[in-house]
Amino acid sequence: GMEGAPPPASPAGLSAYVAVSQLLGLTLLATTGAWLGRYRGGVAWHGHLQFNVHPLCMVLGMVFLQGDALLVYRVFRQEAKRSTKALHALLHGLALVIALVGIVAVFESHRAKGIPNMYSLHSWCGMAAFVLYLLQWLLGCGFFLFPGASFSLRSRYKPQHVFFGIALFALSIAACLLGITEVLLFNISDSYSRFVPEGVLANTLGVLLVAFGLVVGYVLTRDDWKRPPLAEELALSMDFKTLTEGDSPGGGS
């Protein structure tokens, strides 16, 4: 049997890509902080700096944490599926909470300054990303985390869940790029074309966002890097299938 066999090691290259993704993610956060601190006056919940809470929370929640939540199944290959699943849901949930703080910050900041809300392409894409992300999280918890969904229902829903997970991550990054552009055009439109340091730094942040998205996307779409089902999971899902579908464990799958 498999009892004595050592657990299969991580595939070659996977660890390197995951390490690069984390390095990019931390550089992203540092660059966002540097931009807001150096050129936008810093971050505060009250007063005129409240707006800056928004980009910081969105990059942290909707990009970095969302990306890491997507990587959980590739990184924790030997841990029990249940705890991996719980960590996946927890990181997404944390990302949602942080993003919500960022959304509240921008609405409050606009209200204080008398600026209209929800008219720009950035706000439309960003709000769509957030609302769909929340929906995706609720559906994911309902189907995969809480008992009750049948095996066939789970397996039918899973491809949608996986696709929209990656699509919403891409949409979140796109919304960030639109947001960065908007801040630059509102604040330094007269000097942006002269390659001023703020413009270059913010553009660099945009490139880092794309790079992070590409590395995470590559790890997620490599078929041979997918998490292999552990022996006990295969046995379990077979028993589960038999119980719920009435199939014989060997046939009809």
Side-chain angles (χ1 to χ4, degrees):
M2 288 291 291
E3 287 76 37
S10 271
L14 173 60
S15 309
Y17 270 91
V18 169
V20 169
S21 76
Q22 296 315 287
L23 199 60
L24 281 168
L26 295 170
T27 310
L28 252 182
L29 294 174
T31 308
T32 307
W35 176 34
L36 297 173
R38 178 98 176 70
Y39 297 104
R40 297 280 113 229
V43 174
W45 185 256
H46 296 291
H48 67 292
L49 296 177
Q50 187 175 25
F51 173 84
N52 293 347
V53 172
H54 176 71
L56 191 61
C57 283
M58 287 351 225
V59 170
L60 175 58
M62 296 296 287
V63 180
F64 183 60
L65 284 175
Q66 180 175 181
D68 274 7
L70 295 174
L71 290 175
V72 158
Y73 288 109
R74 302 294 176 275
V75 175
F76 300 101
R77 307 173 70 77
Q78 304 309 322
E79 284 68 15
K81 182 76 172 271
R82 181 113 194 122
S83 43
T84 314
K85 206 185 274 190
L87 180 61
H88 178 72
L90 190 70
L91 283 173
H92 279 309
L94 187 59
L96 276 163
V97 170
I98 292 171
L100 184 61
V101 171
I103 290 173
V104 170
V106 74
F107 275 94
E108 286 203 353
S109 155
H110 281 176
R111 198 188 60 215
K113 294 175 184 166
I115 299 170
N117 287 308
M118 295 306 301
Y119 67 87
S120 70
L121 180 59
H122 163 66
S123 63
W124 288 20
C125 289
M127 193 54 85
F130 178 77
V131 171
L132 291 171
Y133 187 37
L134 176 61
L135 188 64
Q136 163 94 344
W137 186 74
L138 292 171
L139 283 170
C141 287
F143 274 98
F144 302 116
L145 208 54
F146 303 118
S150 78
F151 188 79
S152 73
L153 205 56
R154 284 181 181 195
S155 37
R156 275 210 296 273
Y157 174 62
K158 194 181 169 189
Q160 275 89 297
H161 184 74
V162 170
F163 170 79
F164 283 106
I166 296 179
L168 288 172
F169 179 56
L171 178 59
S172 302
I173 290 174
C176 286
L177 298 179
L178 289 167
I180 291 168
T181 305
E182 203 170 282
V183 169
L184 293 174
L185 292 179
F186 281 154
N187 291 291
I188 62 164
S189 55
D190 48 344
S191 59
Y192 188 21
S193 62
R194 295 198 294 278
F195 289 89
V196 289
E198 179 177 0
V200 173
L201 182 66
N203 285 359
T204 304
L205 172 58
V207 173
L208 285 167
L209 282 159
V210 173
F212 180 71
L214 289 173
V215 173
V216 170
Y218 181 70
V219 172
L220 292 175
T221 51
R222 272 280 295 259
D223 269 348
D224 52 333
W225 287 357
K226 287 200 182 0
R227 181 184 192 275
L230 305 177
E232 63 269 23
E233 285 165 35
L234 282 172
L236 252 178
S237 73
M238 270 315 182
D239 295 344
F240 188 52
K241 203 170 158 57
T242 310
L243 285 170
T244 53
E245 319 285 296
D247 288 352
S248 65
S253 54

